Amino acid sequence: MKFLRSILILNNFYYFVVPFDQSAICLHNQSLQTTDLLNRPYIDHVLFMDLKPSYCFMKVKSLYLLPLICSLNILKAQDPAFSQFFASPLTLNPALTGKFNGALRVAGNYRDQWPTINNAFVTGTVSVDAPILGNKLPDNNMWGVGLMAMTDQTAGGALNSNYLSLSTSYHIPLDPDGYNSIGVGFQGTYASKILDGTKLHFEDQLDEQGGWTIQSQDAIAYKTVTINYFDVNIGALYNGSTTGANNFYLGGSIYHINSPKQSFLGDDSYTLHPRYTLHGGVAQPLGDGTSYVHFSGLYQYQAGAEEFVLGGAWSVMVNEDRDNPTNFYLGSWVRFSNLTDAIIPYVGLDYGNFSLGLTYDINISSLETASEARGGVEISLIYIAQKAGPKGVPCPRF
């Protein structure tokens, strides 16, 4: 063969390097050893990394590393994730349902990982949540309900995952003024995943000249398979303030606590591993209160993969209306996942009832050269309908 050939192994997932071809290729024999791989005539070398397979689509010169999205039993499947985790409350913690300063919140998120390669990993969500029955609950108690839809597309639509979630939370005060509160949340999710085998190339199709001329005998080849399951998620949140202007919070959540079974081949021995999340943040006004500093962090663990995100932002009011401020945000976060992964610059704007956020992941891991330091574009847009009267104790913002 006349071109560089390699396999990237990520958390036991195999990734082929393929020239000028954006088709996904499946090598799903998880028992293969390094020597087995190197002995194959179409493989020159093997690269070992330990990263989330959901975000490892990259370009090497004119060759593409294409993901094993059809490891048919999804041995170590992991959830889609947002760099702006703070702007996607219902994918972060069900206890955040309805926990905001306002009457109604509508949030949307869009992420395009490796946008220079069309449809590599594209994730979008839209959610709506609100506090309800405020006049019928005890003082400073809050009951929230919410609905969220998410779609995640991998490898040009070879794997499409769609989710519909219903969540609720309840918060009680820890002091008479309601400056400190604690709450719990629950979420139920219906998930549907569609694997389109017609968009995949399999190992047994690859001939020694680098073509795909051999008829595949794989069970999933040339077929479209759908799996559906129900999921349960829980969370808890502490929210506090000492002055009524500052804010600090700490939350935790567990997604997939029922470990739903999922397999495109009908093998019920494979489950979706729980995702454990711990997150927190602080917002502190500066000077006359027209500017703030915000700090937040996130830790997640799922199926042996760990992720830390730490950072903050500075905000300043750019108009002179404290009742309806226009705020500009500038900040950055850093993501670590067993190695330094990415720097995530952030710019944001509050205008009227809308909050807009924009980030771009700059890859600084050992894959920087291969990826040309290019990452993922992410946009968030949140609309909050305000309620009459005082705004109340500040809620988590970042």
Side-chain angles (χ1 to χ4, degrees), residues 69-379:
I69 57 87
C70 66
S71 176
L72 298 176
N73 294 312
I74 320 180
L75 290 177
K76 291 200 174 184
Q78 294 168 351
D79 294 343
F82 291 101
S83 294
Q84 297 180 54
F85 58 90
F86 44 81
S88 182
L90 301 192
T91 63
L92 177 63
N93 189 338
L96 288 169
T97 305
K99 191 63 174 176
F100 59 93
N101 298 113
L104 176 73
R105 175 172 60 185
V106 180
N109 308 83
Y110 174 83
R111 179 180 179 86
D112 187 354
Q113 183 73 19
W114 309 108
T116 56
I117 304 175
N118 290 337
N119 298 322
F121 299 98
V122 179
T123 306
T125 68
V126 60
S127 65
V128 56
D129 63 319
I132 62 172
L133 303 179
N135 295 331
K136 297 183 179 181
L137 300 176
D139 289 346
N140 298 316
N141 281 239
M142 194 284 294
W143 181 17
V145 295
L147 183 68
M148 183 197 68
M150 178 168 66
T151 182
D152 183 57
Q153 183 182 86
T154 303
L159 176 64
N160 287 283
S161 303
N162 299 291
Y163 310 87
L164 184 64
S165 301
L166 180 65
S167 61
T168 185
S169 73
Y170 196 91
H171 295 256
I172 60 173
L174 299 177
D175 57 76
D177 295 326
Y179 276 17
N180 299 273
S181 65
I182 191 169
V184 295
F186 301 90
Q187 185 178 76
T189 299
Y190 178 78
S192 178
K193 295 186 176 184
I194 303 172
L195 178 63
D196 188 350
T198 66
K199 296 182 179 180
L200 303 175
H201 286 161
F202 293 82
E203 178 198 11
D204 60 358
Q205 293 179 279
L206 184 62
D207 60 35
E208 293 191 2
Q209 287 71 45
W212 306 100
T213 60
I214 304 173
Q215 188 80 2
S216 176
Q217 300 302 311
D218 197 284
I220 208 70
Y222 320 116
K223 299 178 182 178
T224 298
V225 182
T226 300
I227 58 174
N228 305 296
Y229 59 88
F230 183 75
D231 208 357
V232 178
N233 316 310
I234 62 172
L237 179 73
Y238 164 78
N239 187 70
S241 177
T242 58
T243 65
N246 64 349
N247 173 251
F248 42 88
Y249 70 94
L250 180 66
S253 62
I254 305 175
Y255 280 63
H256 324 305
I257 62 172
N258 58 323
S259 298
K261 299 182 184 301
Q262 54 174 340
S263 169
F264 289 108
L265 293 180
D267 187 342
D268 289 339
S269 63
Y270 297 99
T271 62
L272 181 58
H273 294 271
R275 167 167 59 95
Y276 304 93
T277 300
L278 183 68
H279 61 104
V282 176
Q284 180 64 40
L286 302 175
D288 61 357
T290 59
S291 65
Y292 275 74
V293 290
H294 307 264
F295 299 99
S296 65
L298 169 77
Y299 169 76
Q300 294 192 109
Y301 176 88
Q302 184 180 17
E306 293 182 301
E307 179 181 81
F308 296 86
V309 183
L310 297 171
W314 167 73
S315 68
V316 59
M317 188 172 70
V318 296
N319 64 352
E320 298 181 355
D321 187 350
R322 289 178 178 265
D323 293 328
N324 297 285
T326 297
N327 299 311
F328 173 75
Y329 297 84
L330 183 64
S332 181
W333 277 257
V334 180
R335 181 171 57 239
F336 306 87
S337 52
N338 301 324
L339 73 169
T340 305
D341 187 346
I343 296 175
I344 310 167
Y346 170 85
V347 293
L349 181 69
D350 292 338
Y351 184 80
N353 292 338
F354 291 90
S355 295
L356 175 68
L358 175 65
T359 55
Y360 185 85
D361 294 8
I362 301 174
N363 185 13
I364 58 172
S365 72
S366 57
L367 299 175
E368 178 180 1
T369 301
S371 66
E372 301 176 1
R374 297 178 182 177
V377 173
E378 189 171 309
I379 300 172

